Amino acid sequence: QVHLVESGGGLVQPGGSLRLSCVASRIHFSSFDMGWYRQAPGKQRELVARITSTGSANIMDSVKGRFTISRDNAKNTVYLQMNSLKPEDTAIYNCNIWPAFPGYWAQGTQVTVSS
């Protein structure tokens, strides 16, 4: 059973930064494209950023210029660096392979942007 553990969320003021981490186990991590997704209250889950197995990144327009995705295959970890955070970035953030596999959703990490 694939196991994904997200961390790094928290409460931050507008304009602040957070770095999310996702550690994967029981998966040949380096072979998979990975994504960071988020779900805000009352909204559908959306893809925020994705990175191929070889490190090519795509950032969604809503966060382009503020968020960066990276990975360390030696550590089975994918990161999401979030800068210039806005209240509308408030959501639960999850990682998953890309495209997402329903059975891999984990608890996620809560990001709250508020003054």
Side-chain angles (χ1 to χ4, degrees):
Q1 182 87 17
V2 173
H3 192 49
L4 301 171
V5 179
E6 302 95 345
S7 63
L11 173 64
V12 63
Q13 292 186 342
S17 298
L18 286 173
R19 188 194 195 203
L20 307 184
S21 299
C22 169
V23 180
S25 57
R26 303 181 194 127
I27 185 174
H28 196 249
F29 181 79
S30 61
S31 297
F32 287 89
D33 296 355
M34 296 296 296
W36 277 100
Y37 305 78
R38 69 183 181 186
Q39 187 168 22
K43 295 187 177 181
Q44 288 192 332
R45 182 182 283 126
E46 63 175 353
L47 176 69
V48 174
R50 63 185 175 94
I51 186 167
T52 68
S53 58
T54 55
S56 295
N58 290 97
I59 308 297
M60 299 307 108
D61 287 343
S62 58
V63 301
K64 192 168 291 184
R66 300 188 296 120
F67 290 12
T68 305
I69 188 171
S70 61
R71 68 190 294 162
D72 185 339
N73 287 340
K75 295 182 179 180
N76 281 12
T77 302
V78 59
Y79 304 97
L80 186 68
Q81 177 67 44
M82 307 187 295
N83 300 327
S84 302
L85 282 161
K86 304 176 180 180
E88 51 263 43
D89 296 318
T90 295
I92 296 174
Y93 285 71
N94 287 88
C95 66
N96 202 320
I97 62 173
W98 187 88
F101 184 75
Y104 293 172
W105 293 118
Q107 187 172 357
T109 186
Q110 175 71 48
V111 172
T112 303
V113 185
S114 174
S115 55

